[in-house]
Amino acid sequence: MPPETTTATGPLADLRVVEMGQLLAGPFCGQLLGDFGAEVIKLESPGSGDPMRQWGREQAQGKSLWWPVVARNKKSVTCNLRDPQGQRLARELIAEADIVIENFRPGTMERWGLGYDALREQNPGLIMVRVSGYGQTGPYAPRAGYGSIGEAMGGIRYTTGDPDRAPARTGISLGDSLAAVFATIGTLVAVHHRTRTGQGQLVDSAIYEAVLAMMESLLPEYAITGYQRERTGSVLPNVAPSNVYPTASGDMILIAANQDTVFARLTELMGRPELASDARYANHTARGARMAELDDLIAAWTSTVAAETLLDRLHTAGVPAGRIYTARDMFADPHFAAREAIVRITHPELGDLPMHNVVPKLSATPGAIRHAGPDLGQHNAEVYGTLLGLDADQLAELARTGVV
């Protein structure tokens, strides 16, 4: 079990980040940077903190099980950004930072006197990462924009679900997470640029654009051929066989054998090698045109074999296949264990706390989880004392007046 420490190590340990966002899009960017060692100082409202402290369907001892993950490796300080004194504290902290992350509605930071032009006057190398629903420019920029709206506007909502049902959503906050990942990429590019030039810059990550970036050839397909991608349930149009199939044991397994050579291996296992040379199924285009009938042929075979036996045969033959995992499956899987995909952190109240590990894995400079999400204001004395030189009496006065 990794030791719990607040000392930053890792390839980004020389970077100090002030995180001013809340909920998920901005904080997930902060989490990713913190995973690789950046010192992430999270500013939260006094008394309530980030709403993520209460989010999540299931709680333990009245505490969110989402917060320890998204706030891992971070330091929490309280700061009332709506108060002039709180804004002054934020400016002083940002003056000592390399990166500031925010995901408020565009214009909010400027109203607080914390726009990029003002901040870079005192810190020319500052990288400001701004995550929002629609971006910082354009006619929609001032609108409130949550992840679900960005998913709808970016195209993923329309194409998700069964064709005879209303558009569905995935069971995770996909839009927010994608915007955060792209914000992180942009941040690291900006850090590289600053290393070369000494100059900071703005990173503008819009949720709808992050989703749009995942939409493959949707745009040219419509513009050039007039084809509009529709909802197709569990399959991708014209990609076959690649679907979920029944087994004799009642389990469902996924088989992806859409490449010509892989399809040939699958037909050998089925005892139907002639299918690989049959003109109806011999190439990618032909199989895609006959997806439904091909799925019926495969399902008729898979339904006669127990799942474990079937998976063993498919793996041995080099045909990609697998179960559809739940959390229980992940905890029991030896591959997850061998790669330490799940790690356990000691939480002061929850005890042994599992969560997903840092990705990707780096051979020389891996990331690490040093501690779970902190208590509200846990690092006030450390951060304000070390960076701003405030003493206990000054902090007490700021707390009394609701600034921290």
Side-chain angles (χ1 to χ4, degrees):
M1 185 179 299
E4 186 168 333
T5 174
T6 58
T7 302
T9 59
L12 302 183
D14 59 333
L15 296 177
R16 176 175 293 132
V17 180
V18 172
E19 179 192 298
M20 303 175 69
Q22 59 182 11
L23 296 176
L24 188 58
F28 187 36
C29 175
Q31 178 201 315
L32 295 175
L33 295 172
D35 281 351
F36 287 96
E39 179 190 17
V40 181
I41 301 170
K42 181 173 181 62
L43 274 58
E44 300 186 73
S45 296
S48 57
D50 192 321
M52 290 298 293
R53 289 181 176 274
Q54 286 79 45
W55 277 38
R57 184 183 183 279
E58 297 296 325
Q59 296 191 346
Q61 301 178 32
K63 292 186 174 295
S64 166
L65 296 175
W66 199 344
W67 172 257
V69 179
V70 74
R72 68 194 193 188
N73 295 331
K74 299 178 184 179
K75 298 176 179 179
S76 170
V77 301
T78 50
C79 182
N80 185 355
L81 293 172
R82 291 168 176 79
D83 183 283
Q85 289 191 74
Q87 294 159 8
R88 176 181 57 79
L89 288 177
R91 277 192 294 273
E92 292 179 8
L93 286 176
I94 293 169
E96 302 296 328
D98 300 283
I99 299 159
V100 60
I101 302 170
E102 65 94 7
N103 67 330
F104 301 110
R105 191 184 300 191
T108 301
M109 293 286 282
E110 284 74 13
R111 288 197 302 274
W112 292 340
L114 299 171
Y116 185 59
D117 288 342
L119 294 175
R120 69 176 175 181
E121 286 182 5
Q122 59 183 356
N123 188 351
L126 180 69
I127 295 164
M128 187 173 193
V129 184
R130 313 194 73 170
V131 188
S132 61
Y134 305 98
Q136 301 299 310
T137 60
Y140 300 165
R143 295 180 180 178
Y146 273 20
S148 57
I149 308 302
E151 291 165 21
M153 188 175 175
I156 193 70
R157 184 65 71 95
Y158 183 83
T159 55
T160 300
D162 294 314
D164 59 344
R165 304 279 182 92
R169 71 171 297 170
T170 57
I172 59 171
S173 302
L174 184 64
D176 288 310
S177 299
L178 284 174
V181 170
F182 280 106
T184 305
I185 294 170
T187 301
L188 297 177
V189 172
V191 169
H192 181 69
H193 172 77
R194 191 183 67 175
T195 300
R196 296 167 57 199
T197 67
Q199 296 299 308
Q201 61 180 300
L202 273 173
V203 178
D204 180 357
S205 182
I207 295 174
Y208 87 94
E209 289 171 348
V211 174
L212 182 63
M214 297 290 100
M215 295 309 295
E216 301 173 345
S217 55
L218 179 143
L219 294 176
E221 285 172 354
Y222 179 78
I224 295 174
T225 71
Y227 173 70
Q228 170 62 56
R229 286 202 190 190
E230 300 290 342
R231 293 181 292 286
T232 55
S234 63
V235 300
L236 286 176
N238 301 320
V239 177
S242 182
N243 207 338
V244 178
Y245 301 95
T247 66
S249 55
D251 302 292
M252 302 291 289
I253 67 167
L254 197 146
I255 300 175
N258 44 291
Q259 189 176 344
D260 290 353
T261 54
V262 180
F263 180 65
R265 294 198 291 269
L266 175 63
T267 59
E268 287 284 346
L269 271 184
M270 294 171 62
R272 301 287 303 276
E274 73 280 1
L275 294 177
S277 56
D278 188 318
R280 294 174 298 172
Y281 315 117
N283 58 51
H284 176 82
T285 302
R287 289 192 297 276
R290 294 170 175 81
M291 177 183 295
E293 65 186 65
L294 186 55
D295 279 344
D296 288 342
L297 285 171
I298 296 170
W301 169 66
T302 62
S303 62
T304 66
V305 187
E308 283 303 318
T309 301
L310 182 58
L311 286 169
D312 287 343
R313 293 177 184 175
L314 290 164
H315 295 327
T316 300
V319 177
R323 293 181 181 274
I324 299 173
Y325 275 20
T326 64
R328 177 184 294 179
D329 298 315
M330 297 173 190
F331 280 113
D333 189 278
H335 191 78
F336 277 64
R339 285 182 57 82
E340 298 182 327
I342 300 172
V343 294
R344 294 179 180 274
I345 304 298
T346 300
H347 189 279
E349 294 172 86
L350 301 175
D352 185 32
L353 180 69
M355 63 180 69
H356 55 268
N357 207 347
V358 178
V359 292
K361 296 182 182 297
L362 276 67
S363 62
T365 56
I369 303 170
R370 300 178 296 282
H371 60 84
D375 289 338
L376 182 62
Q378 180 177 331
H379 301 93
N380 278 5
E382 175 188 336
V383 171
Y384 287 130
T386 301
L387 293 185
L388 305 188
L390 301 182
D391 60 29
D393 290 340
Q394 290 172 305
L395 277 175
E397 177 61 19
L398 290 172
R400 186 189 67 79
T401 56
V403 177
V404 302

